[in-house]
Amino acid sequence: MNIEATLEDLEAQGYFATQTSLQTNDRTGVCGLVRVNFADSSPTKYLARPILGANFIGGFTTNQPSSNWLAINLNQVSHIDNLDSQTLLETPATLLQVITEHFIEITLELGLAQKRLSGKVMSQLGNCVNFLREDRVSCWIPESNISYVAVEKLSNRLKL
């Protein structure tokens, strides 16, 4: 599956999905909602229009005040419940590929083990991203240290 086409589809579907109440997508046979449970004490997340990547699960948040596109590193997840028993969209792309192919110089939030950083991914070297924080400090972050990536208002920020 082409990650670019998948993200375009998610952008269009996700905008409308987050504008309505939690609903399944029985007509298309594509999963509309998953519940993500974490290995630690993090609160459960509900993701609309989910996509399962090589090492992440992504989708539009539904149990929060704003509708962010959220990609969660699978090493943080204990269990994923498919709430409408439809087919889950899958891609062979990794979290690092999604970040570097679609979110370079896009304002986003990275969740690390003990903190959250806001800023922009500027480049990639190996399995690390060069992240420019809001305070203009640059740092290198390995993909394995990224717990999640949150992009607010994906439809306004996605460069395709």
Side-chain angles (χ1 to χ4, degrees), residues 25-45:
N25 193 9
D26 294 330
R27 288 182 221 127
T28 63
V30 175
C31 180
L33 187 66
V34 295
R35 178 176 46 230
V36 180
N37 299 300
F38 294 90
D40 62 12
S41 60
S42 296
T44 299
K45 300 281 185 195

Side-chain angles (χ1 to χ4, degrees), residues 34 36-39 47 51-58 71-80 88 90-91 93-95 143-144 146-148:
V34 295
V36 180
N37 299 300
F38 294 90
L47 300 178
I51 181 169
L52 182 64
N55 64 349
F56 74 95
I57 179 110
I72 303 165
N73 194 325
L74 288 177
N75 68 14
Q76 304 296 309
V77 174
S78 66
H79 188 72
I80 299 169
L88 188 62
E90 294 186 36
T91 179
T94 65
L95 184 57
E143 177 186 28
S144 60
I146 300 172
S147 299
Y148 69 85

Side-chain angles (χ1 to χ4, degrees), residues 6-32:
T6 301
L7 283 174
E8 284 177 346
D9 186 47
L10 286 171
E11 175 189 338
Q13 293 177 12
Y15 173 77
F16 295 108
T18 58
Q19 301 303 310
T20 62
S21 61
L22 302 181
Q23 296 176 357
T24 59
N25 193 9
D26 294 330
R27 288 182 221 127
T28 63
V30 175
C31 180

Side-chain angles (χ1 to χ4, degrees), residues 108-112 115-120 131 133-134 139 141 148 150:
L108 50 80
E109 179 179 291
L110 292 183
L112 306 178
K115 60 180 160 184
R116 295 180 282 177
L117 300 176
S118 292
K120 297 179 180 184
F131 192 73
R133 300 182 336 204
E134 285 181 330
C139 56
I141 302 171
Y148 69 85

